[in-house]
């Protein structure tokens, strides 16, 4: 199926290039971009996307679906008390299927609203509602990964699992997830403190057996790092614990936060091709520390952006792009390192994060036409803004409702569960 | 005139107390709060403000009206290049009255939208459009101060004034502003580098002669601080320059930023009762540094919050409250100082900042009934949230349109210039 759209296409083929193709035509075959051209091929029909901007849809490499209803609550706590007071009681509620379904539908409606069309999601320990999450994600047309979390130590009684059970449930979900279209299972040990060695060992083996990606948390908060050290005194680092259980699969593991890493950990993560899910808004909100994004980009780590809902308070990626620039600014104030530019942050939220999922996040040939169309600048605005300025205004001035359309694989996505 | 409203009243009588008066009645006489009571006095009519929250309207102690159209542009520049590239060319446009009027109307419409009902505003050097700003502010029902900026050195040719002219224009505006209802003139030397000693001297004298408040910028960026030192080598500090020209009037001067102050400057500012306009979002956006809010509050400085449009990218005070907490978090990460709480930040944006303008920003007896009414949590939300949580959700989840009504001095404010 061949489709042609006319529009103002904006994308970042690399971290320092902002391509703006104004009033061009994009040719899409079977959902994949073929080319952006000056003139519509003679005699072929096209659809006009209007005078707004067409940007690649966003990707979010670390998001907790069940925590969405508590976004913005308890933000003046630190990580570990915040987990105890807000997060765990909230996650407990997802045991009830009917409530889980209602809340998850709202979650996917808002992802759609904000144009985030690929995610790597944590759910809860509950097998059936975790699978319902995956089904709803599939139905909503959101691509990417989701997994039930594994928690068999140091967890509140009402969430803690038995080792055998969490493994059996995980394996069952891996099988069930094979029937889905857009969604793949991702192994999801919550973080080192809440998973026994037995379960980490078995998950490492499952990853190989089923060729699965893996997601977890790494080195977010100093207290957490100390805790891991106390639990694993013979490991050389937090990173080393994951590595020793085979949980840093070559090019297939995404780790959220990665704030307090030493040099050796950074080397290991680079060698293993681990994806760093940088949660800048969460860094700013929970005061865990600031990931040194500039340094990591410069040393060639695979940096991606993530909302970390509800460690960060807003799901919308435009807000998370701004937070990324701001958090990097704070690192500049602290160390004098160069700043992270607007174009770099936009790249990270689209092509950079998209690379974890496949060919999404750019309009180069071969990429899926996964796109958002923004509302045009009001026609009666007294000033005119360049297209570059319009991109900045869209990101910095983002409000719900400013995305008018979303496409995935060249198909218009309707609001799900409407 | 006596009026009674029923609602869920939320306010902060001091920095650490969040008062939530649910389903209470507020009695207002001639625009001033008399009391919040459990029962409506028998036989008296009241108006129900619904199931949302009623909060004090916000105040913004440092905002550049003419820069609003460029909010979000060029945020990856530093202060001085950003001024050259974006700010000065934008301000130049306000020479044209018709354009100025159209742009200023939009500015006041958005202040209204976001429930900021008191401001201390910079305009541009242009006398007539500066006065038009003041008239429109008055007509919109926004209270507070505005002034034309004085710039008679080190400025772009197209904005630089002659000393005699800027003083004559200022004095003319002081006279003309006496006819306004809600708006008072505030002396507005841009910042030390752009005002000659002659003009600073004369403005200090004018402040005494007309008993006027004063606003300016102080110690935002390290490069700027060095520049001031080079211009005034015999002054002991940036603060000392202002002080030596009588521009730190007792309890009547507001200084934006105040980031890189030494101990002696802090002591001087405290003695003079100078108001600190903390521009947290601007700190995060322009990477100038972070004002040590926690330390200043603890040492008893008069801290207030400001958007610094367009040094900060968003005017809405809920977003600036979040930025305030985030910037303070970054200081905590850096120095280990205690965090600034949600309640403290809410206090600063209402009663704390309101104190610069008079009795606004609280619902204690004697305060003006300057209030916003928020949309209620959707009735079909699957979860229930406490009122405290609803306050957090309003601030952290703020989107345009979530404020349903605004009152000033007990009068419903309609959208201006509609």
């Amino acid at each position: 199926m061949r489709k042609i759209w006319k529009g103002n296409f904006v994308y970042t083929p690399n971290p320092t290039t902002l391509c703006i193709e104004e009033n061009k035509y994009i040719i899409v075959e079977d959902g994949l971009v073929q080319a952006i051209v000056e003139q519509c091929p003679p005699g072929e029909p096209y659809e006009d996307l209007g005078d707004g901007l067409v940007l690649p849809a966003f990707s979010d490499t670390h998001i907790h679906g069940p925590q969405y209803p508590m976004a913005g609550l308890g933000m003046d706590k630190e990580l570990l008390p915040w987990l105890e007071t807000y997060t765990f009681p909230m996650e407990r509620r997802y045991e009830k299927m009917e409530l889980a379904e209602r809340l998850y539908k709202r979650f996917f409606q808002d992802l759609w609203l904000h144009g985030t069309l690929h995610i790597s999601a944590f759910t809860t320990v509950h097998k059936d509602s975790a699978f319902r999450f995956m089904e709803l994600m599939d139905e909503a047309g959101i691509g990417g990964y989701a997994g039930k979390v594994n928690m068999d130590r140091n967890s509140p009684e009402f969430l803690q699992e038995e080792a055998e059970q969490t493994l059996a449930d995980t394996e069952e979900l891996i099988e069930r997830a094979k029937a889905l279209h857009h969604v793949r299972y991702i192994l999801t040990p919550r973080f080192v403190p809440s998973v026994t060695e037995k379960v980490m060992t078995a998950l490492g083996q499952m990853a190989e057996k089923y060729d699965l990606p893996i997601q977890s948390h790494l080195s977010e908060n100093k207290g957490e790092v100390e805790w891991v050290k106390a639990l694993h005194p013979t490991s050389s680092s937090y990173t080393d614990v994951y590595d020793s259980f085979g949980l840093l699969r070559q090019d297939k593991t995404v780790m959220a936060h990665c704030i307090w890493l030493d040099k050796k950990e950074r080397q290991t993560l680079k060698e293993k091709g681990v994806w760093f899910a940088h949660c800048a808004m969460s860094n700013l909100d929970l005061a865990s520390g600031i990931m040194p994004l500039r340094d990591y980009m410069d040393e060639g780590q695979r940096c991606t952006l993530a909302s970390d809902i509800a460690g960060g308070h807003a799901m919308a990626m435009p807000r998370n792009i701004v937070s990324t620039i701001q958090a990097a600014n704070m690192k500049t104030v602290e160390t004098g390192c160069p700043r992270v530019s607007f174009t770099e942050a936009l790249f990270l939220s689209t092509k950079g994060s998209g690379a974890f999922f496949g060919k999404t996040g750019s309009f180069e040939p071969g990429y899926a036409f996964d796109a958002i169309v923004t509302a045009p600048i009001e026609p009666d605005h007294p000033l005119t803004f360049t297209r570059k300025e319009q991109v900045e205004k869209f990101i910095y001035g983002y409000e719900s409702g400013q995305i008018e359309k979303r496409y995935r694989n060249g198909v218009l996505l309707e609001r799900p569960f409407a």
Side-chain angles (χ1 to χ4, degrees), chain A:
Chain A
M1 242 271 286
R2 184 174 164 99
K3 284 273 294 178
I4 300 174
W5 286 276
K6 183 184 181 188
N8 304 306
F9 300 96
V10 178
Y11 61 102
T12 49
N14 61 59
T16 54
T17 306
L18 182 69
C19 287
I20 301 180
E21 314 255 27
E22 201 171 351
N23 282 316
K24 298 281 174 72
Y25 299 81
I26 195 164
I27 302 171
V28 174
E29 295 264 10
D30 297 328
L32 302 183
V33 175
Q34 300 298 303
I36 296 177
V37 295
E38 299 273 344
Q39 302 286 338
C40 189
E44 293 201 53
Y46 68 87
E47 188 184 333
D48 193 336
L49 294 173
D51 199 39
L53 307 170
V54 188
L55 288 153
F58 300 113
S59 291
D60 185 337
T61 58
H62 183 76
I63 186 164
H64 294 265
Q67 294 176 19
Y68 186 52
M70 49 175 281
L73 301 186
M75 296 270 83
D76 50 14
K77 296 219 179 301
E78 272 193 55
L79 176 64
L80 300 177
W82 177 79
L83 286 169
E84 296 291 332
T85 315
Y86 289 90
T87 314
F88 293 145
M90 176 59 70
E91 292 196 8
R92 180 184 197 174
R93 291 166 169 270
Y94 289 77
E95 200 176 350
K96 301 226 167 93
M97 277 292 278
E98 197 208 0
L99 180 65
E101 173 152 342
R102 289 177 68 197
L103 292 171
Y104 283 150
K105 282 182 175 174
R106 298 169 66 94
F107 171 75
F108 291 115
Q109 287 176 331
D110 283 0
L111 278 177
W112 173 91
L113 180 72
H114 298 304
T116 301
L117 303 188
H118 283 84
I119 61 172
S120 191
F122 282 54
T123 59
T124 62
V125 292
H126 312 99
K127 180 187 66 176
D128 291 317
S129 81
F131 191 68
R132 192 72 190 114
F133 179 94
M134 297 181 78
E135 288 180 315
L136 293 169
M137 178 171 162
D138 206 44
E139 195 178 331
I142 308 288
Y145 312 113
K148 98 167 210 72
V149 291
N150 303 106
M151 297 170 73
D152 71 324
R153 67 170 169 177
N154 297 319
S155 302
E157 196 192 354
F158 53 81
L159 287 179
Q160 187 158 316
E161 305 171 287
E162 293 298 326
E164 297 299 344
Q165 193 63 51
T166 193
L167 292 170
D169 288 354
T170 301
E171 210 148 8
E172 180 185 330
L173 289 185
I174 293 167
E175 289 298 338
R176 286 165 75 183
K178 289 178 181 170
L180 303 174
H181 303 283
H182 309 298
V183 184
R184 286 190 62 201
Y185 194 83
I186 185 166
L187 293 169
T188 310
R190 186 170 203 121
F191 69 152
V192 166
S194 52
V195 195
T196 58
E197 302 195 4
K198 176 178 178 177
V199 167
M200 284 196 274
T201 305
L203 292 176
Q205 290 162 352
M206 252 183 238
E208 292 306 320
K209 178 176 170 192
Y210 295 99
D211 186 21
L212 292 177
I214 300 168
Q215 63 184 352
S216 195
H217 299 87
L218 174 61
S219 204
E220 176 173 4
N221 172 290
K222 282 183 174 171
E224 169 209 6
V225 173
E226 289 305 309
W227 192 12
V228 171
K229 192 176 253 173
L231 290 168
H232 297 270
T234 62
S235 290
S236 66
S237 67
Y238 198 159
T239 297
D240 185 48
V241 178
Y242 285 122
D243 197 22
S244 64
F245 294 105
L247 294 171
L248 304 183
R249 284 197 79 206
Q250 192 65 44
D251 305 328
K252 301 237 162 136
T253 294
V254 60
M255 283 290 170
H257 299 297
C258 304
I259 297 173
W260 305 104
L261 303 176
D262 65 31
K263 215 164 176 176
K264 186 152 167 265
E265 290 182 278
R266 285 155 73 157
Q267 203 181 324
T268 301
L269 294 164
K270 190 174 172 189
E271 282 165 14
K272 297 281 183 174
V274 168
W275 303 81
F276 289 50
H278 176 37
C279 308
M281 189 183 285
S282 173
N283 292 178
L284 292 166
D285 282 337
L286 287 176
S288 296
I290 315 168
M291 192 189 92
L293 175 62
R294 175 79 278 155
D295 293 351
Y296 290 174
M297 286 177 77
D298 291 351
E299 76 189 29
Q301 303 287 3
R302 288 183 159 160
C303 295
T304 69
L305 300 195
S307 67
D308 190 32
I309 285 291
H313 67 271
M315 155 199 287
M317 288 312 292
R319 299 249 166 86
N320 284 281
I321 290 170
V322 172
S323 293
T324 297
I325 298 168
Q326 292 180 328
N329 284 344
M330 296 301 96
K331 215 63 193 170
T332 297
V333 167
E334 186 191 322
T335 70
C337 69
R339 294 172 69 179
V340 169
S341 73
F342 178 79
T343 300
E344 285 176 314
L346 185 62
F347 169 85
L348 289 173
S349 72
T350 52
K351 189 175 177 180
S353 297
F356 182 57
F357 302 103
K359 289 208 133 188
T360 181
S362 184
F363 296 141
E364 293 159 273
Y367 274 75
F369 187 64
D370 296 341
I372 57 173
V373 182
T374 75
I377 292 271
E378 311 157 63
D380 66 340
H381 198 291
L383 301 179
T384 53
F385 296 98
T386 66
R387 290 290 174 196
K388 164 88 192 303
E389 289 172 341
Q390 290 177 29
V391 182
E392 292 181 279
K393 285 223 163 251
F394 168 68
I395 298 294
Y396 273 95
Y398 181 74
E399 295 278 347
S400 286
Q402 283 180 348
I403 295 175
E404 294 194 332
K405 288 179 180 172
R406 303 120 191 103
Y407 291 87
R408 227 191 114 224
N409 295 323
V411 176
L412 184 70
L413 278 191
E414 299 292 343
R415 181 166 190 260
F417 320 118

